Amino acid sequence: MRQTFDESTDRSFGAKHVPLIRQAMAEQGLDGVLVPHEDEHQNEYLPAANDRLAWATGFTGSAGAAVIFKDKAAVFVDGRYTLQVRDQVDQSLFEIRDLVEGGVPAYIETAPRGARIGYDPRLHSPDALERLKAAAAKSGAELRPVSQNPIDQAWGAARPPQPVAPVAPHPLEYAGEESSAKRHRLGAELKARGADASVLTAPASIAWLFNVRGGDVIRSPLPLGQAVLNSDGSARLFLDPQKVTPDLRTWLGNEVQLETPEDLPRALADLKGKRVVVDPGQSSAWYFEALNGAGAQVLRGEDPCLLPRALKNAVEVEGARKAHARDGAALTRFLHWLATEGQTSPPDEITAVAKLEAFREDTGALKDLSFDTIAGAASNGAIVHYRPTKRLNKRAEAGSLLLVDSGAQYLDGTTDVTRTVAIGEPSHEMAERFTLVLKGHLALARVRFPAGTTGSALDALARAPLWAHGLDYDHGTGHGVGSYLGVHEGPQRIAKAPNSVALRPGMIVSNEPGYYKEGAYGIRIENLQVVTPAQEVKGGERPMMAFETLTLAPLDRRLIVVAMLTEEERSQMDAYHARVRAVIGPLLPDDVRAWLDEVTAPL
């Protein structure tokens, strides 16, 4: 089993660790300390050694923060984690607050006048830091950079070591473009912007630019490191020597100088007098301070790899199709098992996760999961980012729903798919609300849109059927997905929050509206889809882009109230299921294929 079901934290973490943190604060003359979730690479998913927020508080979600003062503390989470945080964090020690509404800055505004609040400049983006400093100024407090993080000091020898997974070449048959071509293309763009170089700190950008993959970040083939890309296409790459595989130097070529992380400060000093692009959304304040201190001219700008990485080339798009067909066959075998054995003897969540993972292993191509599988039975399905553990494990029961959100990493693509399945006979309310979610999902799948359209302009399409009934969900509708990279990838997204990045051909996004009834059940339908090139519309005046659905697996017809669907929606649903039969059917055993034919028959 790749996925484990032990908990890495518990509610006692706060009581055990906060006193140690406060002792370290006192030794450094601090009255408070900021504890962001992000690490030195602004990662969403963290190596154990960098999961400072979890160690300090017990909270293991992928977004959050904490502030610890001498006599009070707070944990901040968004709408995805409101249930999880109450389960994991001792509320006698930590106040639970909203990460989005007010967030950490609003809390700092309540700090005592003269309070000295420590922060690690390696963990905060410069823009976030400016907002925090402004909040501190309002309260008369002072934000003070620290050379040693009080969390690390308190953690001490018990802190896990930094990961040193080998960094290996990612072949051209999967990448679709040579690293040298990427470097020279991006270098020319830097030169056109009047820049001499760019400092890269995002692991996904390093993996993509140099056509390498690693294993330092859980469920993502990412290497932790840094790089300097020069406008002439040459580069300096900083990796722990323990990660360097024998063929890596040859793979990188003569234009890439391989160095160690200890060489990085000197490399930044070498940029004295140079115009250097650094992304304030991807790189921490430490890099800006180091470059300014070295006499470089810092140009705030987007990571030059960010948009090109999101625009999948033809090889990557075809790889995604192959990966989703393979993965869809594995998922369909799992759904067949749920529809047969799982109905007569409903499984618990851990059994369901193990069964799905086994079907993916059977493909012979699985490199890893793309995230720990979410299998939420009944009320656990209402916890948006729930993960089964031995303590929380629940058995599915007749008359309930099982929500399974899962994904896989293959050399040719990354998958992420959610299916909600009825165990026994669902209630009318369950089916009605599933159908509302389905209507939104179908609307977002079939939309046509002109160049310049952002994901935030499309978000309401997925929510409108729910809104009409006074319902909604507290997460985004779609996130970008990498190509054998991170399952969450920017800069594009589909969400209520404004987003300035237009959707463009080759971008892969999820389509995942949902509905969650606390204490009862959760519903989510998720497919990945790729933006297709603009085409003329018959009788129209402007060419329009569209989405091609990549994910191929049946939906539970027992949860569809057909009378609630329009004729267009029924035809769309039938066409999708026909495509599932055509692509997935030949990859399945005879009994599963016969079942698939039955459950994907026209509505």
Side-chain angles (χ1 to χ4, degrees):
M1 279 292 295
R2 297 173 187 267
Q3 184 165 334
T4 62
F5 305 98
D6 296 317
E7 294 177 86
S8 58
T9 70
D10 60 56
R11 289 174 68 87
S12 71
F13 268 40
K16 291 176 182 175
H17 300 152
V18 167
L20 300 175
I21 296 167
R22 286 176 170 151
Q23 181 181 338
M25 286 162 40
E27 291 173 3
Q28 296 192 34
L30 300 173
D31 302 300
V33 65
L34 304 181
V35 191
H37 172 268
E38 292 78 15
D39 69 355
E40 290 85 340
H41 300 269
Q42 302 295 296
N43 282 316
E44 176 184 19
Y45 298 111
L46 305 176
N50 296 351
D51 206 348
R52 298 175 175 90
L53 181 62
W55 184 82
T57 69
F59 174 65
T60 61
S62 63
V67 180
I68 299 173
F69 286 111
K70 291 190 293 186
D71 56 355
K72 66 176 184 176
V75 173
F76 303 79
V77 300
D78 63 26
R80 296 171 295 173
Y81 294 112
T82 52
L83 298 180
Q84 179 178 327
V85 72
R86 294 202 294 265
D87 177 67
Q88 291 185 318
V89 173
D90 185 345
Q91 292 172 68
S92 69
L93 290 170
F94 290 94
E95 179 186 354
I96 307 301
R97 296 178 65 119
D98 192 290
L99 183 66
V100 179
E101 296 298 326
V104 176
Y107 190 71
I108 290 178
E109 288 179 12
T110 68
R113 177 169 291 278
R116 292 157 297 187
I117 305 171
Y119 72 91
D120 187 337
R122 293 176 180 267
L123 308 183
H124 297 268
S125 73
D127 290 348
L129 200 54
E130 287 304 313
R131 291 191 292 271
L132 295 171
K133 287 180 176 179
K138 285 186 178 181
S139 66
E142 174 195 359
L143 284 192
R144 182 176 291 185
V146 297
S147 56
Q148 182 180 21
N149 191 314
I151 308 299
D152 299 348
Q153 181 181 336
W155 207 341
R159 185 183 178 193
Q162 288 292 327
V164 287
V167 178
H170 187 55
L172 185 61
E173 65 181 291
Y174 303 116
E177 183 181 10
E178 295 278 8
S179 172
S180 60
K182 294 178 181 179
R183 287 186 280 103
H184 283 272
R185 174 160 60 93
L186 268 57
E189 292 175 6
L190 288 173
K191 189 173 185 179
R193 291 163 63 179
D196 300 298
S198 178
V199 174
L200 307 176
T201 63
S205 291
I206 289 165
W208 176 84
L209 181 63
F210 296 100
N211 285 347
V212 296
R213 297 296 187 267
D216 291 334
V217 180
I218 187 169
R219 307 296 179 227
S220 302
L222 299 175
L224 297 185
Q226 300 85 10
V228 175
L229 172 65
N230 299 310
S231 60
D232 64 0
S234 65
R236 301 171 75 170
L237 175 60
F238 304 89
L239 295 174
D240 187 311
Q242 295 179 77
K243 301 178 186 180
V244 177
T245 52
D247 52 352
L248 185 62
R249 291 183 186 276
T250 302
W251 176 258
L252 293 172
N254 295 331
E255 290 183 324
V256 178
Q257 186 174 336
L258 194 56
E259 303 179 61
T260 73
E262 288 69 30
D263 298 319
L264 180 61
R266 177 175 52 79
L268 298 181
D270 290 344
L271 294 171
K272 178 180 181 181
K274 304 288 187 181
R275 293 167 58 86
V276 184
V277 172
V278 190
D279 189 337
Q282 299 281 333
S283 301
S284 71
W286 181 86
Y287 291 93
F288 289 80
E289 293 168 3
L291 288 165
N292 284 324
Q297 184 177 347
V298 178
L299 306 178
R300 289 186 172 219
E302 189 175 83
D303 176 341
C305 301
L306 192 63
L307 185 60
R309 189 174 81 234
L311 301 174
K312 308 297 183 287
N313 59 47
V315 170
E316 290 172 318
V317 171
E318 183 58 28
R321 294 188 185 107
K322 292 176 180 176
H324 280 84
R326 180 189 311 117
D327 196 62
L331 178 58
T332 300
R333 291 179 65 194
F334 169 76
L335 294 172
H336 169 259
W337 172 78
L338 272 182
T340 51
E341 293 181 43
Q343 296 293 327
T344 57
S345 179
D348 60 32
E349 295 163 344
I350 289 177
T351 300
V353 170
K355 197 72 176 179
L356 178 52
E357 185 177 315
F359 285 128
R360 285 192 164 114
E361 290 283 8
D362 284 350
T363 66
L366 183 69
K367 304 299 290 184
D368 198 355
L369 306 178
S370 57
F371 56 95
D372 279 346
T373 297
I374 298 166
S379 59
N380 285 346
I383 305 172
V384 177
H385 273 207
Y386 171 78
R387 181 179 71 86
T389 65
K390 293 173 183 176
R391 177 175 63 90
L392 300 173
N393 186 35
K394 179 178 287 191
R395 183 171 295 280
E397 298 177 353
S400 71
L401 298 181
L402 177 64
L403 185 155
V404 181
D405 186 348
S406 68
Q409 294 282 10
Y410 303 102
L411 287 172
D412 48 7
T414 300
T415 70
D416 181 4
V417 51
T418 308
R419 290 294 181 264
T420 304
V421 178
I423 304 297
E425 190 67 27
S427 69
H428 177 72
E429 179 189 277
M430 291 173 179
E432 179 187 67
R433 295 190 176 180
F434 180 93
T435 307
L436 292 174
V437 173
L438 176 62
K439 288 170 73 71
H441 175 87
L442 292 173
L444 187 56
R446 70 174 179 270
V447 65
R448 306 295 299 267
F449 52 94
T453 302
T454 65
S456 51
L458 302 181
D459 181 76
L461 293 171
R463 298 179 191 268
L466 288 163
W467 285 352
H469 288 75
L471 307 171
D472 201 4
Y473 50 94
D474 293 327
H475 58 76
T477 302
H479 57 82
V481 179
S483 180
Y484 189 44
L485 283 172
V487 74
H488 292 158
E489 177 181 89
Q492 76 278 14
R493 67 178 185 271
I494 301 173
K496 289 180 184 177
N499 180 265
S500 61
V501 179
L503 295 169
R504 291 172 54 179
M507 287 182 170
I508 295 176
V509 293
S510 64
N511 173 357
E512 51 179 309
Y515 168 75
Y516 310 92
K517 186 172 184 178
E518 185 174 347
Y521 59 85
I523 296 166
R524 187 159 64 251
I525 302 170
E526 178 186 16
N527 287 344
L528 299 190
Q529 46 198 41
V530 61
V531 181
T532 60
Q535 293 183 342
E536 298 293 335
V537 177
K538 187 176 180 180
E541 297 178 350
R542 298 183 184 182
M544 295 285 164
M545 293 182 286
F547 290 118
E548 173 194 335
T549 298
L550 296 168
T551 305
L552 297 169
L555 277 73
D556 191 342
R557 287 172 48 131
R558 295 172 300 153
L559 287 167
I560 300 175
V561 182
V562 178
M564 292 174 61
L565 300 181
T566 65
E567 182 178 347
E568 181 182 31
E569 290 166 341
R570 289 197 298 272
S571 296
Q572 184 184 357
M573 193 68 247
D574 288 344
Y576 175 72
H577 270 162
R579 187 162 158 246
V580 170
R581 284 197 306 276
V583 177
I584 300 300
L587 306 177
L588 300 172
D590 290 343
D591 59 333
V592 182
R593 183 171 185 173
W595 171 82
L596 180 64
D597 289 343
E598 179 183 338
V599 299
T600 59
L603 295 173

